[in-house]
Amino acid sequence: MKDLKDMISRVKGLILSPQKEWEVIETERLSPSDLYRRYIGILAAIPPLASFLGSWLFGSRGLHPTFAAGLFRALVQYALSLPALFLVAFVISMAAPWFDGKSDDRRALTLAAYSYTPAWLAAAFGLVPGLRFLDVLGFYGVYVFSLGLNRMMRVPKDNLDVFTLVALFLTVSMGALHAWLVSLIAPAQLI
């Protein structure tokens, strides 16, 4: 119960006062496994769950997937999202020295995970067909990322804008690769 309370507090802090929240996060020494277990594993389940329930309950493009096909697709989507986030973090860590920052895989994973928070939360709008356009609120994560970049990767302020754009391109590319792999493994089967 304490982990859930801590997670909700972290989400609230990242959304309402990200600058202050990054000050707290910077001092923490959470291991990657703890970060996955206590935060990433829970919030990363929102997009596939919302997509599955929204399409199964309300349909997608006027059609409804079978329960089993929709559930399988959601599980594949979730399972592939976990290593995708790790790969994004790894590339961020490797790219940091190119922008006069410091390479640190653990801190890069922390940065990526907490920066994804707005996107994971915005994906909940996938539950209701007419609100899917509100996914755009997830782009608030770009701002959250830019605030945490200096603290977590020690990138100088002069290089923050360019590094943020590079990370945004990386994230969008990984999202496209993720979507392609999901559709390859579990194509949308609508009846």
Side-chain angles (χ1 to χ4, degrees), residues 11 30 40 44 49 59 76 79 90 98 102 111 119 124 127 134 137 140-141 146 150 152 174 184:
V11 167
L30 208 56
I40 299 168
L49 185 63
V76 168
F90 178 75
W98 289 88
K102 182 177 181 242
L111 175 65
L127 280 169
L134 291 174
L137 295 174
Y140 182 69
S146 69
N150 176 264
M152 300 306 290
M174 184 57 73
L184 192 67

Side-chain angles (χ1 to χ4, degrees), residues 13 16 20 24 40 105 118 132 134 156 168 171:
L16 299 177
K20 284 191 293 209
V24 174
I40 299 168
D105 293 347
R132 189 68 195 215
L134 291 174
L168 177 61
T171 302

